[in-house]
Amino acid sequence: MAGKALRKRILTEVASNGGADWLFDQIASGITVAELARQYGCTRSYVSRSLNSVPEYAAALTKARGEAADALVEQGLEMVDGLSGASSPTEIAATREKVQWRKFMAGSMNQDRYGTRPQSNVTLSIGDLHLDALRKFSSDMKRVNSDAEAATIDAEYVEVSDE
């Protein structure tokens, strides 16, 4: 039952700090649920389950992730701006990796704004299109000819005169 006491403590502290508004501000400013878990001395998944068990907190977490994406992008900009002209290639490579990770996380948190759209490459071959059109025309003509043969009526011809 120690877990229930911990969950109660987490939820009580969040409520006393300001509830959903406080939680929104924390996550939107870039603090992760993993950092909150370290503060409470438990696992990330436990804090996540505890917070998501309260609908108001779950909504605040979801809404805050979009804002957190903005914070990650701003952190990446600060990292790049912090590089000086005399930065070593190792420092530049490390900063590039950190910025790429923040870019990935921002895309995960706010797909509409920072997500990458899958590339859709369309290749058209005029020759293949022409051959397909000829095949279709040929099959249509065969169908028309077979329909015309089926519609033929065999009858005797009788000549009629007006007299």
Side-chain angles (χ1 to χ4, degrees), residues 90-160:
T90 306
E91 186 180 0
I92 292 171
T95 301
R96 181 180 300 123
E97 286 300 315
K98 290 176 184 177
V99 168
Q100 286 298 321
W101 182 252
R102 280 166 176 74
K103 182 178 170 184
F104 165 75
M105 290 300 297
S108 298
M109 291 178 172
N110 191 342
Q111 185 71 31
D112 293 337
R113 189 163 186 179
Y114 299 111
T116 56
R117 305 283 187 252
Q119 296 289 330
S120 58
N121 296 328
V122 177
T123 304
L124 294 177
S125 169
I126 301 301
D128 288 343
L129 290 173
H130 181 70
L131 287 174
D132 287 343
L134 288 174
R135 284 186 197 108
K136 178 156 179 30
F137 179 77
S138 175
S139 69
D140 287 349
M141 290 307 294
K142 286 179 184 175
R143 185 179 48 78
V144 167
N145 288 338
S146 68
D147 288 347
E149 289 173 7
T152 303
I153 300 173
D154 289 329
E156 289 183 31
Y157 178 76
V158 179
E159 196 169 313
V160 178

Side-chain angles (χ1 to χ4, degrees), residues 4-77:
K4 292 196 184 250
L6 180 57
R7 175 175 284 174
K8 185 177 179 181
R9 190 186 81 170
I10 291 169
L11 296 177
T12 302
E13 284 187 30
V14 169
S16 67
N17 286 333
D21 291 336
W22 176 83
L23 187 59
F24 175 86
D25 290 341
Q26 294 298 303
I27 300 300
S29 68
I31 292 177
T32 63
V33 175
E35 289 177 45
L36 291 175
R38 281 190 287 278
Q39 291 174 8
Y40 293 117
C42 60
T43 64
R44 183 215 171 278
S45 63
Y46 188 80
V47 170
S48 179
R49 280 193 318 270
S50 298
L51 294 174
N52 282 302
S53 69
V54 178
E56 184 181 5
Y57 295 167
L61 284 171
T62 301
K63 187 177 173 187
R65 287 193 176 100
E67 293 289 325
D70 294 339
L72 287 169
V73 170
E74 289 169 6
Q75 288 174 4
L77 178 63

